[in-house]
């Protein structure tokens, strides 16, 4: 997304790619959460006591799909809004070149430019929040597993 912020001309072509990649991230977050929950259940069924660090990791893991899902929804909303705005403006340009007296580029899109920019900004913020959550959750999981192997 940050590349698309820097290169607005690329938004039309790569916006759907960004939405697709964010969807893949959502699927990955859901799968990781489910596999972690299955492992937790397996440990509990054997009577193994789970450390507080593992419980904290599980709690953090429950938030990840929600945050990644929010990111995906915002990216998808931005892609759709940008596409519709572009389509509206292309239609206005086509009407102007077809001989409509001087209306080329003057018809407003139904979707304001500020709304598209706002969705993009919210998407970037949600992406940062989701990324931080994923990194912190992964680190807490690794720490909880490796804490018993620390050197004396």
């Amino acid at each position: 997304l940050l590349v698309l912020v820097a290169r607005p001309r690329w938004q039309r072509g790569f916006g759907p790619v960004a939405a697709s990649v964010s969807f893949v991230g959502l699927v990955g977050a859901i799968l990781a959460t489910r596999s972690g929950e299955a492992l937790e259940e397996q440990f509990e069924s054997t009577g193994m006591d789970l450390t507080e660090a593992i419980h904290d990791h599980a709690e953090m893991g429950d938030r990840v799909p929600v945050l990644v899902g929010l990111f995906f929804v915002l990216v998808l909303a931005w892609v759709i809004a940008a596409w519709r705005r572009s389509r509206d403006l292309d239609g206005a340009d086509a009407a102007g070149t077809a001989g409509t007296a001087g209306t080329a580029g003057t018809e407003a899109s139904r979707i304001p430019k500020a709304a598209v920019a706002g969705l993009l900004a919210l998407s970037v913020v949600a992406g940062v929040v989701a990324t931080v959550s994923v990194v912190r959750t992964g680190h807490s999981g690794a720490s909880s597993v490796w804490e018993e192997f620390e050197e004396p």
Side-chain angles (χ1 to χ4, degrees):
L1 279 181
L2 294 177
V3 172
L4 298 179
V5 170
R7 298 277 186 175
R9 283 189 234 149
W10 293 1
Q11 290 178 6
R12 191 175 202 171
F14 290 103
V17 173
S20 299
V21 170
S22 66
F23 178 74
V24 170
L26 174 59
V27 171
I30 292 168
L31 291 175
T33 301
R34 286 189 179 174
S35 69
E37 289 171 351
L39 183 60
E40 183 180 25
E41 288 174 11
Q42 183 178 5
F43 284 159
E44 288 173 347
S45 71
T46 63
M48 183 176 184
D49 288 332
L50 300 178
T51 65
E52 186 176 329
I54 292 175
H55 283 293
D56 291 343
H57 171 68
E59 289 295 318
M60 292 172 76
D62 289 340
R63 287 188 291 269
V64 168
V66 174
L67 294 172
V68 175
L70 176 62
F71 172 63
F72 167 67
V73 168
L74 287 169
V75 169
L76 186 61
W78 165 71
V79 167
I80 292 169
W83 174 77
R84 289 194 60 191
R85 178 173 168 71
S86 175
R87 186 190 65 181
D88 290 349
L89 293 176
D90 286 350
D93 286 344
T97 59
T100 307
T103 60
T106 60
E107 285 188 37
S109 169
R110 288 177 272 171
I111 299 175
K113 185 176 183 178
V116 175
L119 281 170
L120 180 56
L122 287 173
S123 297
V124 169
V125 170
V128 169
V129 169
T131 300
V132 168
S133 178
V134 167
V135 169
R136 289 185 66 219
T137 301
H139 179 71
S140 77
S143 295
S144 68
V145 168
W146 290 101
E147 70 185 358
E148 64 185 78
F149 297 108
E150 291 181 15
E151 292 184 33

